[in-house]
Amino acid sequence: MKIDGKPYRTIWPSSDGRAVEVIDQTALPHRFAIRRIEGLEDAFTAIRTMVVRGAPLIGATAAYGLALALKHDPSDAGADSAYRRLAAARPTAVNLRHALDDVRAHIARLPAGERARAAFARAAAICDEDVENCRLIGEAGLPLIEEIYHAKNRPVNILTHCNAGWLATVDWGTATAPIYMAHDRGVPVHVLVDETRPRNQGAALTAFELGQHGVPHHIVVDNAGGHLMQHGRVDLVIVGADRVTARGDAANKIGTYLKALAARANDVPFYVAVPQTTIDWTIEDGVRDIEIEERDAAEVTHILGRLDNGEIARVAIGAPGSPALNPAFDVTPAGLIAGLITDRGVCAASRDGLLGLFPERKAA
Ligand code: MRU
């Protein structure tokens, strides 16, 4: 996608071939900055501090992080230790584990001297596969938007939560891919962007990228969704996910579950868009089995923004001394999800629905 008219991915190898570069998402939307990741610790910190974030991009960064670590220590012990360090950076998005497993399996039988180069090539392939998966999610989800447009003959109002846009992936985004495709093909869309406290990925990132692409949108406070749905101002909800279980439960940014409840109460279809790398076939019950990241309370008690004089400032918003809880994700049970939009098509959020698209998983 483009920033100020220039095409970017969110992660790319540096021109000297010794590092990777990423868009620093902690600086957006106020400042566009690129960060260099030169080794294992840089990759770990970028993921942990959310310089990069969003399930697919976390996976892609971890893949490159493992490749960079292998340059210094290509032994089995070195690979295992880098794997463990990166896997611990953030617990909820399963793409992290899948990308690390993928790179490690790819280099396992190679002589030590060939490992770093092979891992780097595999990380680049993981990025390319993510772009293609997201493009296919766009193709799969587009008919859902077109159908509403043809029925209502006015712009389709789509609510989304957090940033499941191109900044959360390598390109296109998951929830946003059908939206960008509809917009590009002349189907009028209007996006309601949940601000997504505490870190405001909606207001800061989704709004930024929609604005850069010229997609009509409004930022709304997280609590507005139910009201807007009651008044017929939301036709469709599309969110991303950090992990979808084998029976279709979906972990996504905190607050997603409340939107799904409001959508069900108001007969608004609620879809979850995911690439296959976000499906965790090893678990069924998302509420019980998905680890929910608990982040620093300061993300709740303080907020970062730009003052009128242009300065970036962090201010306290909570009562001094009051403690805060900060669960970063919640799980929406499959029963509240109208369908999963995947790179293989749209299916019911159920074991049978998923196996219909991924029959090779039947034996697993
Ligand atoms: O904490 P974040 O910003 O990494 O959380 C991201 C989300 O919850 C996204 O909505 C989800 O990862 C889908 S990304 C395509």
Side-chain angles (χ1 to χ4, degrees), residues 80-156:
D80 286 349
S81 143
Y83 178 107
R84 282 196 303 276
R85 177 82 175 139
L86 289 162
R90 293 191 72 191
T92 304
V94 77
N95 304 57
L96 175 59
R97 192 183 77 214
H98 286 163
L100 290 170
D101 284 345
D102 184 328
V103 174
R104 192 165 61 171
H106 199 74
I107 55 111
R109 289 182 210 288
L110 296 178
E114 291 174 23
R115 285 181 167 179
R117 187 186 294 272
F120 225 78
R122 186 61 204 133
I126 286 172
C127 290
D128 290 344
E129 285 162 18
D130 184 62
V131 176
E132 178 59 5
N133 281 340
C134 288
R135 192 190 66 75
L136 290 169
I137 287 170
E139 297 282 2
L142 175 63
L144 299 170
I145 300 175
E146 286 176 327
E147 201 180 305
I148 296 171
Y149 175 58
H150 291 133
K152 303 200 171 173
N153 201 27
R154 56 150 176 78
V156 181

Side-chain angles (χ1 to χ4, degrees), residues 50 53-56 90 162-164 168 174 201 240-242 252-253 329:
M50 295 173 66
R53 27 95 19 230
R90 293 191 72 191
C162 193
N163 174 260
T174 56
Q201 290 96 326
D242 295 80
N252 194 48
K253 184 52 55 188
F329 300 91

